[in-house]
Amino acid sequence: MTTTAESPVSLTSPIPETGLDPLDPQFQQNPYPFYRWLLRHDPVHCGSEGTWYVTRYADVRLVMSDERFGCASVRDYWEEMVGPGALQTIMRDTMFFEDNPHHMRLRKLIMPVFSPRRMRAMEPRIAHVVDELLEPLARRGHMDVVSDFAAPLALHFVCELIGIPPEGFDGVRRWSIDIAPTLDLVPTKEEIARGNQAMQEFTDYLVWLVEQRRGDRRDDMISVMLEEAEKDQSGYERPLIMNMIVSTVISVVFAGHDTVTNQVSNTMLALIEHPDQHELLRRDPGLIESAVEESLRYDSSVQSNSRRVDEDAVIGGRQLKKGDFIVALMGAANRDPEVFQDPDRFDVTRQGVQPMSFGAGMRYCLGAVLARLELRAALARLIRLDNLRLDCDPADLRYQRSSMFRSLVDLPVTFTPVSEYPPR
Ligand code: HEM
């Protein structure tokens, strides 16, 4: 089985008459035939339960960047879904559920932490942590790319940026796993209960950490937010309180952890499925930058983002009404034949790729520079492993059930163990 099938455009729709359902197991396993059909036959699609799905590059960019498509009204739906508890109390303040002016205020507040200069200064540390993680695995000759390498790498840098010390990493990973299902799909009662418990423990830990940091300022996100909270007699309608600090920290953990983990894994799978491209890259590491952009385009870890229509609007000739839900399918936009020639081909030499994977406009991913640096550093080492191949039947590869992310459960690989590290 190829997970990213490349069959010609189907004349029969893969989508049922009731409309696209992103939880359909076939869509979960491989959404690309669905996108291909939608892009060519129904680019602004009314799916199951009346949710709109946009697929074209230009329409996706519009939905993600135009203030008529808001996030604050998604919060009402989410709060009702999870009910009262720690999840609701903390996440009602997340920047993901804010529109302007409050969204911009929170964004500006943490933006200095993500400055390109600051990110580039992290480059040697990123290379170092990649080596620390990879050396024992490279000597062993097999690994699960997801849990042995990509997840600890992503967690390390998101925590470092925030100011969470290494002793806290395990807890953050555990709490994130339990909270994640409540931020994505329609969660079960058990998932909500587990999510509330984890959110409470995560919050208790962060409140403790923030109190510690009050007397011990550093060059991290918690310190930046504390400073702002202290001088916050600023006339803002909503002063920056502990709840906002905690919810911003937790939001950044979510934004920067699974996204990078999954992108590293999706990239490695694409290279394993396309040995000719892998070989090209091994012969010319100068192609690493374009390979990272191509992998973001070809199989993005973030496939979609949701909005709610705050003002009636027309897109692609379809009338959208205030209150409608609308999903921007970035995974589809990345395969738009109007923008990318032969879009289903994985080509590490492709030039000028601007993937939609980091979003657009006022919510464009703040961590894009960091993510790219992590991906390049990881790829530079991983492609050097000889005889890299899957350590399972490709048909056994599974994706986490998710409406937003393309997230491999695991990616077991084998390769020739190295006697000398780094491999040449
Ligand atoms: C391959 C990795 C990543 C992908 C594909 C990705 C994708 C995205 C996307 C699509 C958005 C926009 C969401 C929307 O419009 O609703 C976003 C926002 C954001 N991302 Fe990333 N991201 C990645 C890595 C990171 C990392 C490493 C961090 C931080 C450590 C980060 C922090 C953020 C933040 C804070 C926002 C919110 C920006 C705002 O609302 O103004 N991301 N990301």
Side-chain angles (χ1 to χ4, degrees):
M1 181 201 70
T2 312
T3 48
T4 49
E6 292 178 1
S7 56
V9 182
S10 165
L11 289 177
T12 36
S13 167
I15 296 161
E17 267 179 29
T18 45
L20 180 71
D21 170 10
L23 298 184
D24 171 350
Q26 269 185 325
F27 182 83
Q28 290 280 309
Q29 193 65 15
N30 183 6
Y32 295 106
F34 292 78
Y35 295 159
R36 202 176 302 137
W37 198 88
L38 286 171
L39 277 161
R40 284 147 181 100
H41 302 287
D42 192 11
V44 182
H45 169 78
C46 187
S48 65
E49 298 179 20
T51 299
W52 292 100
Y53 293 89
V54 291
T55 50
R56 283 186 183 146
Y57 193 89
D59 292 342
V60 167
R61 184 166 50 200
L62 177 83
V63 170
M64 297 192 80
S65 56
D66 189 314
E67 298 206 25
R68 283 174 300 167
F69 308 105
C71 291
S73 47
V74 177
R75 171 182 27 215
D76 306 340
Y77 170 82
W78 182 82
E79 284 196 2
E80 203 176 305
M81 188 175 76
V82 296
L87 284 166
Q88 203 186 72
T89 311
I90 300 300
M91 294 313 278
R92 73 163 55 112
D93 280 323
T94 173
M95 64 194 296
F96 299 146
F97 290 151
E98 296 288 356
D99 292 330
N100 280 338
H102 198 58
H103 170 262
M104 190 45 82
R105 183 196 173 205
L106 283 175
R107 183 176 168 96
K108 276 195 178 146
L109 181 61
I110 60 171
M111 222 148 69
V113 183
F114 293 96
S115 76
R117 194 171 45 82
R118 208 164 170 279
M119 293 294 110
R120 274 193 292 276
M122 286 171 84
E123 229 174 320
R125 295 256 323 114
I126 296 173
H128 178 74
V129 172
V130 164
D131 282 337
E132 252 182 10
L133 287 167
L134 200 56
E135 178 165 3
L137 302 169
R139 292 187 189 280
R140 200 170 77 181
H142 63 93
M143 66 170 130
D144 169 20
V145 176
V146 179
S147 63
D148 289 335
F149 177 72
L153 174 70
L155 186 69
H156 186 107
F157 286 101
V158 83
C159 287
E160 188 170 305
L161 208 70
I162 289 167
I164 297 172
E167 312 83 79
F169 290 5
D170 281 348
V172 173
R173 171 108 185 110
R174 236 184 11 258
W175 296 319
S176 307
I177 289 171
D178 283 349
I179 295 168
T182 68
L183 295 176
D184 189 323
L185 297 166
V186 182
T188 62
K189 269 194 190 145
E190 292 72 35
E191 284 172 334
I192 293 174
R194 255 201 313 278
N196 271 316
Q197 168 82 22
M199 183 60 87
Q200 191 56 58
E201 288 174 23
F202 201 169
T203 302
D204 292 345
Y205 170 72
L206 287 174
V207 169
W208 171 83
L209 188 63
V210 170
E211 290 307 335
Q212 299 269 308
R213 201 53 46 87
R214 266 189 215 287
D216 177 22
R217 296 304 157 89
R218 302 195 189 160
D219 185 22
D220 59 34
M221 189 183 296
I222 292 180
S223 301
V224 165
M225 296 193 85
L226 264 176
E227 224 160 273
E228 180 72 11
E230 282 163 3
K231 62 175 189 225
D232 204 7
Q233 326 301 334
S234 49
Y236 277 111
E237 229 175 272
R238 296 166 60 184
L240 194 70
I241 51 169
M242 181 65 96
N243 217 48
M244 287 185 202
I245 298 180
V246 169
S247 79
T248 304
V249 166
I250 293 179
S251 304
V252 172
V253 168
F254 277 98
H257 179 203
D258 277 354
T259 48
V260 172
T261 303
N262 298 329
Q263 197 61 51
V264 171
S265 311
N266 295 356
T267 303
M268 289 318 292
L269 179 59
L271 288 171
I272 291 170
E273 285 179 335
H274 299 84
D276 58 324
Q277 299 299 305
H278 190 185
E279 198 44 45
L280 264 179
L281 206 50
R282 278 169 69 92
R283 266 195 258 126
D284 182 3
L287 291 172
I288 281 180
E289 273 188 36
S290 62
V292 164
E293 297 312 301
E294 175 66 347
S295 88
L296 282 158
R297 181 196 74 79
Y298 183 75
D299 200 15
S300 173
S301 61
V302 185
Q303 291 280 310
S304 70
N305 274 108
S306 301
R307 301 282 193 269
R308 220 162 165 180
V309 180
D310 285 339
E311 232 179 81
D312 289 3
V314 175
I315 304 183
R318 308 294 296 259
Q319 177 69 57
L320 279 60
K321 293 271 181 224
K322 185 173 177 195
D324 287 353
F325 278 97
I326 181 161
V327 177
L329 290 168
M330 294 112 73
N334 284 336
R335 302 281 186 113
D336 185 344
E338 295 286 318
V339 179
F340 303 104
Q341 209 182 4
D342 200 359
D344 294 324
R345 189 162 50 87
F346 179 63
D347 175 1
V348 298
T349 66
R350 203 185 278 269
Q351 292 301 306
V353 174
Q354 291 186 336
M356 192 51 76
S357 315
F358 291 117
M362 70 269 184
R363 294 180 199 273
Y364 183 80
C365 176
L366 281 173
V369 174
L370 174 61
R372 286 182 160 117
L373 291 176
E374 290 183 64
L375 285 161
R376 287 175 200 159
L379 211 53
R381 287 295 193 233
L382 287 168
I383 55 164
R384 301 254 64 88
L385 300 171
D386 284 328
N387 295 315
L388 183 70
R389 56 198 181 278
L390 269 185
D391 195 13
C392 68
D393 183 334
D396 290 337
L397 286 177
R398 287 283 164 266
Y399 288 85
Q400 306 276 7
R401 196 164 164 272
S402 168
S403 61
M404 265 179 83
F405 298 117
R406 187 143 165 86
S407 165
L408 281 161
V409 172
D410 49 24
L411 181 61
V413 297
T414 59
F415 45 86
T416 309
V418 303
S419 51
E420 216 183 292
Y421 190 93
R424 271 178 293 151

